[in-house]
């Protein structure tokens, strides 16, 4: 599952990088095993108006500077593709013991098959949940690359989504409705507003009953995906208000 978010026209530069760095630090403090990488941006004055560094997660490795100085008076910074490739390759071993993967972005280098593409592909191959930023200009290319594994979320949903991946999903396999609905409702009643819950079921009626319950109760159905063995997994975000309980 690849959760991705993008930015709005009025968002400050570097918003996505700061969000992912803060998310990584928060999850690390909780003891989560992370893989992938985050990007740090530094303002270093007129000679180097920005400096970009990539930090590999889950590894004891130095940061890689991936920007090139354009000299005095420059108004921007230029990516060093070779350094980016080295940083992405260094981060790859960190996926071996990861619960969750963070990827700085899927941008122009990734569209061309470089950058973090191998890292993203390895996470997909390992069936690891991953979260990343996709600039608006590359959204169509990412959708083509990720296919049905792509799950768009809002930036504010990044933390709830990540937390939901770190706990086992509710197991409603081999239970017939209304039991999957009752199990989901009980979990959501004790969840914080905006928190996400995953539930897995084999009941075909749940394909109708669970979305109906969420609609009636005011919860958001974030994702639905098919798994082997006739299992369907739903990801649901609890309403930010205090919804009335809906009957199954």
């Amino acid at each position: 599952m690849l959760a991705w978010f993008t930015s709005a026209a009025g968002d400050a530069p570097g918003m996505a990088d700061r969000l992912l760095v803060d998310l990584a630090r928060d999850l690390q403090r909780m003891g989560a095993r992370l893989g992938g990488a985050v990007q740090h941006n530094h303002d270093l004055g007129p000679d180097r108006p920005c400096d970009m560094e990539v930090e590999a997660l889950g590894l004891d490795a130095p940061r890689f500077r991936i920007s090139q100085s354009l000299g005095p008076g420059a108004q921007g910074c230029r990516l060093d593709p070779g350094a980016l490739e080295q940083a992405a390759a260094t981060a790859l071993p960190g996926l071996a013991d990861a619960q969750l993967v963070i990827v700085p972005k899927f941008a122009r280098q990734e569209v061309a098959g470089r950058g973090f593409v191998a890292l993203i592909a390895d996470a997909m191959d390992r069936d690891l949940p991953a979260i990343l930023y996709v600039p608006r200009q590359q959204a169509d290319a990412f959708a083509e690359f990720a296919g049905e594994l792509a799950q768009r979320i809002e930036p504010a949903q990044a933390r709830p989504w990540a937390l939901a991946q770190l706990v086992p999903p509710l197991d409603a396999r081999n239970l017939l409705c209304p039991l999957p609905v009752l199990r989901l409702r009980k979990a959501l009643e004790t969840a914080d507003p905006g928190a996400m819950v995953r539930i897995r079921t084999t009941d075909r009626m749940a394909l109708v009953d669970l979305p109906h319950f969420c609609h009636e109760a005011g919860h958001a159905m974030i994702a639905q995906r098919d798994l082997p063995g006739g299992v369907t997994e739903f990801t649901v975000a609890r309403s930010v208000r205090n919804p009335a309980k809906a009957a199954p």
Side-chain angles (χ1 to χ4, degrees):
M1 181 70 69
L2 301 175
W4 67 280
F5 63 94
T6 192
S7 56
D11 288 337
M15 174 277 294
D17 292 319
R18 289 191 296 274
L19 186 154
L20 291 176
V21 168
D22 291 344
L23 176 63
R25 295 293 175 263
D26 189 18
L27 297 177
Q28 286 171 330
R29 284 192 293 268
M30 298 172 59
R33 302 192 307 276
L34 303 181
V38 291
Q39 180 174 315
H40 300 267
N41 304 314
H42 308 286
D43 184 352
L44 300 179
D47 178 56
R48 286 152 57 192
C50 70
D51 197 4
M52 302 181 295
E53 293 181 337
V54 168
E55 173 192 356
L57 298 173
L59 298 170
D60 184 14
R63 294 184 184 182
F64 286 86
R65 183 184 174 200
I66 61 169
S67 55
Q68 305 177 53
S69 174
L70 300 181
Q75 298 300 310
C77 54
R78 182 172 59 191
L79 177 70
D80 183 340
L84 176 62
E85 294 289 325
Q86 188 177 6
T90 299
L92 268 174
L95 271 60
D97 190 44
Q99 296 172 286
L100 176 73
V101 179
I102 297 177
V103 182
K105 58 176 62 75
F106 184 97
R108 286 179 292 182
Q109 291 293 313
E110 288 71 29
V111 171
R114 299 188 291 269
F116 292 106
V117 161
L119 188 69
I120 299 170
D122 194 35
M124 295 167 66
D125 187 55
R126 295 173 183 269
D127 197 27
L128 288 171
I131 184 168
L132 68 159
Y133 166 66
V134 180
R136 297 187 304 277
Q137 299 88 335
Q138 281 78 49
D140 290 342
F142 177 72
E144 182 177 353
F145 169 82
E148 63 181 12
L149 291 179
Q151 175 185 335
R152 182 172 180 177
I153 61 175
E154 296 301 320
Q157 294 176 320
R159 186 178 186 277
W161 185 90
L163 291 175
Q165 310 311 307
L166 298 176
V167 297
L170 299 175
D171 188 359
R173 293 172 299 173
N174 301 318
L175 298 180
L176 300 179
C177 277
L179 294 180
V181 172
L182 295 175
R183 185 159 293 187
L184 176 61
R185 183 171 70 182
K186 182 178 180 180
L188 290 171
E189 285 175 351
T190 59
D192 293 331
M196 295 189 188
V197 175
R198 293 183 296 149
I199 183 170
R200 292 180 178 179
T201 178
T202 50
D203 181 19
R204 294 301 89 188
M205 285 302 298
L207 300 178
V208 176
D209 291 345
L210 286 175
H212 175 72
F213 160 72
C214 292
H215 175 75
E216 291 297 312
H219 305 303
M221 180 65 69
I222 301 298
Q224 174 183 330
R225 63 169 180 154
D226 294 329
L227 300 174
V231 177
T232 302
E233 180 181 275
F234 298 87
T235 302
V236 178
R238 188 192 190 281
S239 172
V240 295
R241 56 188 174 85
N242 186 23
K245 298 178 182 178

